[in-house]
């Protein structure tokens, strides 16, 4: 059983960063360090007062400390970690792009008044859950020891739970739609046509390389931290190996062709040069 600090250190970087920022945002709200209106998504303030941070901060508020907040945070720590260790292993930039693309999609949809919400963090959690369900469609999930559910339906199960807890259904539906759009453009469409129109942009690769956390196997930018972990990648040679080989080859070439005795090793490679006897013979 690991300690809390050991568990924290074992969490992959993308899921860890998002979960910690969401936790700190809600904690700061309960400490009354800021007003929620400062980080809410209001397009009038974005365009008239140039408060562009409102396009980003709503994704880090999952709600006040409550059962809803706990379930959303656990979704990040469970399904986000499994994605980062599974399909997105050694693909930190691709996973970061999934979060970014999902957030961009939600911002565009929120411009429609019917789908507008001041905080889009819960919808982004649905994006994560939906993509996980498509990547692990046959995973068996035990629901409170009552029944089992396939991973494909996890986002829809979360939607039912939100309805039972009195949460708006539109946030979940918009998140599922954004998750399906990402999965279609990044997985289904390239499989059917052979063209990938949703490649991870270079600026995301550069951002991850500058961040220095995680690893992207096909990144065009070098991660200095990952590179420093590789001490030596050249060809290995045995010390004095070439000299020994040369000595043996010279000795074999100078050997008398009429000599039927076993060849003797060079002095440098001999452990014992005495006379041998068979046990039992005198």
């Amino acid at each position: 059983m690991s300690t809390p600090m050991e568990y924290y250190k074992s969490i992959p970087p993308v899921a860890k960063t998002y979960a910690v920022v969401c936790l700190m945002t809600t904690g700061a709200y309960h400490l009354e360090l800021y007003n929620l209106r400062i980080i809410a998504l209001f397009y009038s303030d974005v365009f008239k007062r140039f408060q562009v941070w409102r396009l980003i901060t709503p994704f880090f508020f999952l709600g006040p400390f409550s059962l809803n907040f706990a379930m959303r945070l656990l979704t990040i720590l469970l399904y986000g970690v499994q994605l980062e260790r599974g399909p997105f292993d050694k693909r930190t930039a691709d996973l970061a792009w999934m979060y970014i693309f999902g957030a961009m999609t939600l911002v565009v949809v929120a411009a429609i008044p019917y789908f507008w919400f001041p905080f889009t963090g819960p919808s982004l959690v649905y994006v994560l859950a939906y993509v996980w369900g498509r990547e692990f469609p046959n995973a068996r999930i035990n629901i409170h020891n009552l029944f089992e559910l396939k991973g494909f339906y996890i986002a829809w199960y979360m939607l039912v739970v939100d309805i039972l807890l009195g949460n708006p259904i539109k946030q979940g539906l918009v998140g599922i739609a954004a998750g399906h759009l990402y999965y279609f453009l990044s997985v289904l469409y390239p499989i059917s046509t052979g063209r990938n129109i949703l490649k991870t942009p270079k600026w995301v690769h550069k951002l991850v390389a500058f961040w220095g956390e995680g690893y992207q196997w096909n990144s065009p930018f070098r991660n200095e931290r990952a590179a420093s972990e590789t001490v030596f990648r050249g060809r290995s040679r045995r010390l004095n190996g070439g000299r020994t080989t040369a000595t043996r080859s010279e000795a074999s070439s100078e050997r008398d062709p009429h000599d039927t005795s076993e060849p003797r090793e060079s002095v440098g490679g001999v452990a014992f040069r005495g006379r041998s006897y068979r046990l039992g013979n005198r």
Side-chain angles (χ1 to χ4, degrees), residues 180-206:
H180 179 73
L181 179 63
Y182 169 81
Y183 190 79
F184 174 79
L185 294 177
S186 65
V187 178
L188 300 181
Y189 185 78
I191 290 177
S192 60
T193 63
R195 292 181 298 171
N196 186 2
I197 61 175
L198 197 63
K199 291 182 179 179
T200 303
K202 287 187 177 181
W203 64 267
V204 178
H205 287 284
K206 190 173 184 178

Side-chain angles (χ1 to χ4, degrees), residues 5 68 225 243:
M5 183 55 65
N68 291 325
R225 182 171 181 177
R243 182 178 175 182

Side-chain angles (χ1 to χ4, degrees), residues 5-243:
M5 183 55 65
E6 291 174 344
Y7 169 72
Y8 173 79
K9 291 181 179 179
S10 68
I11 303 175
V14 177
K16 178 194 296 184
T17 301
Y18 186 54
V20 169
V21 174
C22 290
L23 182 62
M24 292 177 62
T25 304
T26 300
Y29 163 71
H30 279 275
L31 292 175
E32 299 181 354
L33 297 180
Y34 68 93
N35 191 315
L36 283 179
R37 290 187 59 87
I38 297 177
I39 66 171
L41 178 61
F42 294 119
Y43 284 101
S44 58
D45 292 333
V46 172
F47 294 108
K48 294 181 181 179
R49 300 180 181 178
F50 301 103
Q51 297 178 354
V52 293
W53 67 82
R54 295 181 181 275
L55 299 175
I56 302 174
T57 53
F59 295 99
F60 300 120
F61 188 73
L62 302 180
F65 286 136
S66 60
L67 179 61
N68 291 325
F69 173 84
M71 292 180 61
R72 291 161 185 165
L73 188 65
L74 288 176
T75 300
I76 299 171
L77 294 176
L78 179 61
Y79 302 129
V81 168
Q82 290 184 11
L83 278 177
E84 199 161 352
R85 290 176 176 170
F88 289 91
D89 184 31
K90 295 182 176 61
R91 295 174 58 201
T92 304
D94 293 340
L95 182 61
W97 175 236
M98 184 200 77
Y99 279 86
I100 295 172
F101 178 82
M104 292 169 57
T105 304
L106 294 174
V107 167
V108 173
V109 174
I112 304 173
Y114 181 75
F115 294 110
W116 174 84
F117 282 94
F119 302 103
T120 49
S123 297
L124 188 59
V125 173
Y126 270 95
V127 174
L128 179 65
Y130 182 85
V131 174
W132 182 89
R134 296 304 300 261
E135 294 288 352
F136 300 94
N138 297 318
R140 309 297 298 184
I141 305 174
N142 189 301
I143 307 297
H144 308 297
N145 287 327
L146 298 177
F147 58 91
E148 283 190 348
L149 192 70
K150 282 189 174 183
F152 182 83
Y153 302 104
I154 185 61
W156 301 102
Y157 168 76
M158 291 172 54
L159 186 64
V160 173
V161 173
D162 268 354
I163 295 174
L164 295 178
L165 293 177
N167 297 322
I169 188 175
K170 288 186 290 186
Q171 281 185 308
L173 290 176
V174 171
I176 291 175
H180 179 73
L181 179 63
Y182 169 81
Y183 190 79
F184 174 79
L185 294 177
S186 65
V187 178
L188 300 181
Y189 185 78
I191 290 177
S192 60
T193 63
R195 292 181 298 171
N196 186 2
I197 61 175
L198 197 63
K199 291 182 179 179
T200 303
K202 287 187 177 181
W203 64 267
V204 178
H205 287 284
K206 190 173 184 178
L207 180 65
V208 171
F210 176 78
W211 183 25
E213 297 289 341
Y215 177 73
Q216 179 72 28
W217 67 272
N218 62 343
S219 175
F221 301 98
R222 184 181 180 185
N223 187 335
E224 297 296 338
R225 182 171 181 177
S228 63
E229 295 177 357
T230 305
V231 179
F232 179 72
R233 299 186 62 184
R235 178 182 295 178
S236 61
R237 292 183 181 275
R238 195 172 59 181
L239 292 178
N240 205 22
R243 182 178 175 182

